[in-house]
Amino acid sequence: MRTLKITFLFLFVFSSLIKAQSNLARSISLNIEQQKLSSVLAMIEEKGGFRFSYNSNILPVDSLVTIHENNLNIAETLDKLLNHRFEYRQSGNFVIIRYAPLELLLLVNESVGNPELYTITGQVVDKRSNKPIEDASIYEKNLLVSELSDGNGYFSMRLKNITQPISLTVSKENYKSTITHFLAEVNITNRKEGSAERFISGNLGDIEKTWLGNTLVTAQQKIQSINIGGFISKAPFQFSLIPGLNSHGSLSGQVVNKFSFNVVGAYSAGVDGGEIGLGFNINKSDVQYFQFAGGFNLVGGNVRGVQIAGFFNGVIGDVRAAQVALAYNRVGKGFEGFQVGGIYNHVNQDVKGIQLSLGLNTIGGTLKGWQTGALNLVNKETKGVQIGIGGNIVAGRTSGVQVGGIANINKESSGVNLAMLANLTGQTASGLQIGAINYAKKLKGVQLGILNVSGQNDGYSIGLVNIALKGYHKFSFGTNESTTYNVVYKGGSKRLYNMLMFGTNKKSAEKIYTGGLGFGKEMKVFRSVSLNPEISSQYVYQGSWDYLNLLNKFELPLNIRLNKWLAIQGGPSVNVYYTKQNNKIGEFGLLQEKHKDFAFNDPRYTGWLGWNVGLVIL
């Protein structure tokens, strides 16, 4: 290892406003007259080849500005546009604009020591008033050592194992930051991968606004977050007993660790490797690869990898991971991966993966994967598979498959809905509904159930009772060769309607009753004339329930409409009668005897040609 001895106890101390050395030093020319500040900043981004990051609630982006300048550097241009009330710091390809109308000074009282132990004491004061500044952050970003100034602005910092010149950064909310450099008697070595400062955009204070974050994060850590903002350092390791007692001190919320071990719990900027917390883990930005907590994980950014918690996982950003919690998982944005929650899973945006719980699954966006729970709620639409032991509720459109133990409730449906009890679609159902009860305001697909109800029926309803409130529903009263009195309800659509049929024959010595189901289709011939092919099957009661008697019919009645509410019908029929009763009872006995020449090889079957005639109430 190459070393260079610098023998000079204190070479110089200097302070300066933080100016980035590359992007901010570039010269540009602007000739702008009364344009929005946001548009002008976009022009500077294009000329400088970088991106701005700023809080639009503080920066007056809608204000109109005028500037005519040639060959000014970008920092000077921004000062003119923003009236010297902001500071600018560069990180990577970002220039961060931070509200800072005030200026501070670092007054060094003493700086003594050696590479093993170096001490710096001083005071932070307001540059204009010379008043002391309380709770200013003083930190060495390479050594990850920090202090907060006291009520009189004083601080004392102890630095150990120094291998590089010392750079102290002083930051305070609403003040422009300063950097003070020290060249002490140090051994400068070839450094391993250090903790170079970088910038993370976004609302990094969100995690501290949660109830748990506000309770468990210390006041000193919150102040550091406010003062330093999105400037984050990296470290290979963190050890923590509790959030306020750890290897990075009050600066822990500004450090992303490769690995973190936390006895009770910890607070950090994020994880870029692995984290184990016997109690809990709190991270204000991203976590990736692996995180385990005996109690809970609370993450303010995004999660990539595997996240396991004994109680719950709470993530404010996106999750692309396997996420497991015995109680519940809560994701503030989108989810892609595999999620298991014992009681509850909630994703605020879209899900592209699998959610499993014994209780409730809720999605604020669209489901494009698989979801299983006692109850599933989707706020937009589903394009995947949902299985709800109790049911599924979708506020938008379903185009996948839903299986509900009790019910499926949708706004619109173009997929498959299966339910033991009911499928309810508030608007248009153009897929398949299978359930005991099916409802759609407008049916363009297929309903299969005991009771099918639709407001407007342009599809197919197959069931015991089909009701189209604004569609096809008719009653017919007629007679035929086998039963004197017949009543039929026809409901559904012209494409396919269901028939609920009842008949009786009082001419027999013993009364005969018939009842059954059928299907038909209305085929228009002329304006007031239609042909209705119909097929049906009816049970024939002949005095005993011990025998199965079935009358199967194919009828071809012609309907002639007389006015808006009345039509006459009549036509031929083909009949096939099946019975196990040996005694020939009533009209059916006579029909069997009369048409015995038309009997099949099996004596239980008899066939004949018949007729029907009657009235239809429209």
Side-chain angles (χ1 to χ4, degrees), residues 479-483 553 573 575 587 591 608-612:
T479 185
N480 57 49
E481 80 289 344
S482 56
T483 48
K553 282 177 172 282
S573 66
N575 301 264
E587 194 69 26
L591 286 170
W608 66 87
L609 296 177
W611 53 268
N612 71 83

Side-chain angles (χ1 to χ4, degrees), residues 497-522:
Y497 55 81
N498 171 250
M499 299 188 299
L500 190 60
M501 312 173 74
F502 300 95
T504 184
N505 192 342
K506 293 187 176 181
K507 294 188 298 182
S508 304
E510 296 185 23
K511 291 182 181 179
I512 294 174
Y513 299 95
T514 65
L517 298 172
F519 298 95
K521 178 180 178 65
E522 183 174 301

Side-chain angles (χ1 to χ4, degrees), residues 546-605:
D546 297 334
Y547 302 98
L548 178 63
N549 307 305
L550 290 178
L551 176 60
N552 304 293
K553 282 177 172 282
F554 173 74
E555 298 178 272
L556 197 61
L558 189 68
N559 283 260
I560 302 173
R561 190 166 184 169
L562 302 178
N563 53 41
K564 290 184 178 181
W565 56 272
L566 186 64
I568 58 173
Q569 70 170 16
S573 66
V574 176
N575 301 264
V576 176
Y577 180 59
Y578 170 87
T579 183
K580 285 188 176 182
Q581 278 186 276
N582 295 322
N583 57 319
K584 304 292 193 292
I585 298 176
E587 194 69 26
F588 282 92
L590 295 174
L591 286 170
Q592 284 179 279
E593 189 66 31
K594 181 178 179 181
H595 300 288
K596 61 182 179 180
D597 293 336
F598 291 91
F600 299 89
N601 292 332
D602 189 336
R604 293 174 296 179
Y605 291 92

Side-chain angles (χ1 to χ4, degrees), residues 28-52 54 65 67 74 77-78 81:
I28 61 171
S29 297
L30 291 175
N31 188 16
I32 303 297
E33 187 72 34
Q34 291 295 292
Q35 290 194 30
K36 284 187 177 182
L37 177 60
S38 58
S39 301
V40 178
L41 292 177
M43 294 180 193
I44 297 175
E45 285 180 331
E46 185 176 354
K47 290 176 179 287
F50 59 84
R51 297 292 304 276
F52 283 119
Y54 52 83
V65 297
I67 183 169
I74 291 176
T77 303
L78 291 172
L81 289 170

